[in-house]
């Protein structure tokens, strides 16, 4: 949960919903993601943090420069991908500790994408955002996929090895 761009918290709860503890963050979190049944990543306003001990300790990565909205792992290339609302896409090849720009959201043309979701499916990574924007990515390049909708894309979900489910506002599926 977040209260502003510079404040947020994570609550630890037991499987029945009982409160265990709470951690205060110095950024607004956007997404909590669990990978490999133990590694937890939290993306948010200007930061990505990770925990390898189920949230007992948090490590700040060097990701910065955007409001990071989602994160995914691409198993075939052993790379982590994250996207930001200002259009940035970052990639990490060392378990999400160090990030490099794949696309810089500070560029004027990049901002038009306003990315909200990123997912790895098969050989590609897909990112989606405002106004029906979908990008198909790999380690070498990206291409824009045009869909017959201008609805904002709020989530991408793996449907099969070669397909994704796209969901958004106004009932877009």
């Amino acid at each position: 949960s977040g209260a502003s761009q510079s404040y947020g918290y994570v609550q630890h709860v037991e499987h029945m919903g009982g409160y265990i503890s709470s951690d205060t963050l110095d950024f607004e979190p956007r997404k909590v993601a669990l990978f490999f049944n133990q590694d937890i990543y939290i993306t948010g306003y200007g930061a990505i943090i990770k925990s390898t001990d189920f949230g007992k300790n948090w490590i700040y990565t060097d990701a910065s420069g955007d409001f990071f909205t989602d994160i995914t792992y691409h198993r075939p290339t052993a790379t982590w991908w994250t996207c930001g609302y200002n259009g940035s896409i970052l990639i990490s090849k060392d378990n999400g500790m160090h990030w490099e720009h794949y696309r810089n959201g500070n560029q004027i043309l990049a901002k038009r994408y306003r990315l909200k979701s990123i997912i790895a499916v098969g050989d590609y990574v897909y990112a989606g955002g405002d106004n029906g924007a979908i990008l198909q990515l790999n380690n070498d390049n990206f291409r824009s996929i045009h869909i017959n909708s201008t609805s904002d894309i709020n989530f991408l979900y793996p449907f099969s090895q070669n397909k994704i489910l796209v969901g958004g506002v106004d009932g877009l599926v």
Side-chain angles (χ1 to χ4, degrees), residues 121-132:
V121 178
D123 293 334
Y124 295 98
V125 173
Y126 297 89
D130 286 0
N131 300 314

Side-chain angles (χ1 to χ4, degrees), residues 3-72:
S4 68
Q5 297 173 352
S6 61
Y7 172 79
Y9 60 92
V10 177
Q11 290 188 342
H12 303 253
V13 294
E14 63 182 12
H15 69 284
M16 296 296 287
Y19 175 82
I20 296 174
S21 66
S22 182
D23 291 327
T24 302
L25 306 173
D26 60 1
F27 67 96
E28 180 181 345
R30 163 69 179 189
K31 172 89 179 231
V32 177
L34 174 68
F35 294 96
F36 310 122
N37 293 322
Q38 70 178 21
D39 295 345
I40 301 171
Y41 290 80
I42 298 178
T43 63
Y45 197 85
I48 297 175
I49 59 175
K50 72 179 275 187
S51 173
T52 57
D53 59 5
F54 299 102
K56 292 178 185 165
N57 296 291
W58 295 102
I59 304 164
Y60 277 80
T61 71
D62 66 357
S64 64
D66 207 332
F67 183 15
F68 299 108
T69 53
D70 205 354
I71 188 169
T72 193

Side-chain angles (χ1 to χ4, degrees), residues 115-156:
L115 300 172
K116 295 180 181 177
S117 183
I118 193 164
I119 190 73
V121 178
D123 293 334
Y124 295 98
V125 173
Y126 297 89
D130 286 0
N131 300 314
I134 298 179
L135 301 176
Q136 183 185 53
L137 316 155
N138 64 25
N139 282 337
D140 301 321
N141 56 29
F142 75 93
R143 72 178 181 102
S144 181
I145 298 173
H146 299 284
I147 62 172
N148 192 19
S149 177
T150 57
S151 293
D152 293 352
I153 294 170
N154 291 335
F155 73 87
L156 302 171

